[in-house]
């Protein structure tokens, strides 16, 4: 999908300002940023876990970033997964591998504003799933959602998840939340 978004960005005259390819050893997917203006960047993120992607517009001009996202929503409407389908995927999936992939998609596509149903689905996956790798991916995916309501959950996970890897991931996401001012 990066190529399709690149074509869109180029049609708007937005140059690539950053690009990094997958690094499986460092658990990173593909990332591309286009400079909309000096104040706003359109970013593309692709998960190494699920091969799903998302786009975000960020910068020092929130109104322009919001307009860019609305334009992308219009331009890519046939490519965007419905929010209700995302929620259904993490509340009804029992297979750990497919649940992990769904959690990444939901992290990318969750509503911008807090949603109790999504929160509960993430909480259940991050705290109650028997498979530690699912819990780890749930915690990782929370980093993309950025709801303040997740902070107490992350603190709990950091303090008492039975797996060191999951506790360490919660600490990393907490630091990212703090760096973002949350």
């Amino acid at each position: 999908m990066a190529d399709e978004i690149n074509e869109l960005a180029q049609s708007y005259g937005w140059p690539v300002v950053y690009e990094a390819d997958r690094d499986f050893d460092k658990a990173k997917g593909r990332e591309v940023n286009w400079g909309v203006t000096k104040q706003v960047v359109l970013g593309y993120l692709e998960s190494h876990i699920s091969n799903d992607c998302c786009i975000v517009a960020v910068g020092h001009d929130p109104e322009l970033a919001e307009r860019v996202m609305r334009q992308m929503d219009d331009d890519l409407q046939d490519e965007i997964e419905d929010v209700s389908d995302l929620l259904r995927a993490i509340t009804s999936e029992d297979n750990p591998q497919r649940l992990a992939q769904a959690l990444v998609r939901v992290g990318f596509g969750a509503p911008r504003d807090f949603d109790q149903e999504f929160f509960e689905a993430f909480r259940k996956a991050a705290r109650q799933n028997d498979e530690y790798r699912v819990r780890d991916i749930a915690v990782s995916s929370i980093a993309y959602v950025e709801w303040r309501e997740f902070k107490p959950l992350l603190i709990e996970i950091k303090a008492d998840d039975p797996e060191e890897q999951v506790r360490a991931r919660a600490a990393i996401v907490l630091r990212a939340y703090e760096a973002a001012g949350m």
Side-chain angles (χ1 to χ4, degrees):
M1 183 117 182
D3 293 336
E4 183 177 346
I5 295 172
N6 188 48
E7 286 180 29
L8 269 173
Q10 296 301 317
S11 75
Y12 289 116
W14 303 336
V16 172
V17 295
Y18 174 80
E19 189 167 8
D21 285 322
R22 295 176 176 201
D23 185 339
F24 290 106
D25 293 333
K26 293 184 179 178
K28 292 184 178 182
R30 185 161 186 216
E31 183 177 348
V32 183
N33 292 334
W34 295 269
V36 176
T37 66
K38 289 183 180 182
Q39 300 293 315
V40 174
V41 172
L42 175 68
Y44 168 89
L45 300 170
E46 184 178 294
S47 167
H48 76 289
I49 295 169
S50 67
N51 289 324
D52 289 301
C53 63
C54 73
I55 55 173
V56 295
V58 295
H60 297 290
D61 186 343
E63 290 174 11
L64 176 59
E66 186 64 33
R67 284 195 312 270
V68 168
M69 285 310 303
R70 280 194 304 271
Q71 184 63 50
M72 292 295 105
D73 286 346
D74 289 345
D75 291 342
L76 300 167
Q77 66 184 353
D78 294 336
E79 306 290 333
I80 298 171
E81 195 165 353
D82 186 80
V83 174
S84 62
D85 292 337
L86 292 172
L87 181 60
R88 188 172 24 264
I90 61 172
T91 57
S92 64
E93 185 58 65
D94 292 327
N95 177 285
Q97 183 177 0
R98 287 194 301 267
L99 176 57
Q101 292 169 336
L103 285 161
V104 172
R105 280 196 315 279
V106 172
F108 282 169
R112 290 182 199 148
D113 296 322
F114 177 77
D115 182 285
Q116 188 67 39
E117 287 183 281
F118 277 87
F119 177 83
E120 288 301 323
F122 267 108
R123 186 194 56 71
K124 183 178 176 185
R127 291 293 283 161
Q128 298 174 354
N129 196 283
D130 293 335
E131 175 59 53
Y132 82 91
R133 289 172 288 214
V134 170
R135 295 194 313 273
D136 187 47
I137 289 171
V139 170
S140 295
S141 298
I142 286 171
Y144 297 111
V145 181
E146 294 186 343
W147 293 336
R148 293 180 189 281
E149 291 83 358
F150 276 126
K151 198 167 181 181
L153 175 66
L154 291 166
I155 291 168
E156 287 175 19
I157 293 167
K158 177 184 169 193
D160 66 14
D161 191 273
E163 285 291 325
E164 172 59 32
Q165 179 176 326
V166 179
R167 291 191 307 270
R169 183 82 61 199
I172 291 167
V173 175
L174 275 169
R175 283 195 300 273
Y177 268 40
E178 290 166 6
M182 298 191 318

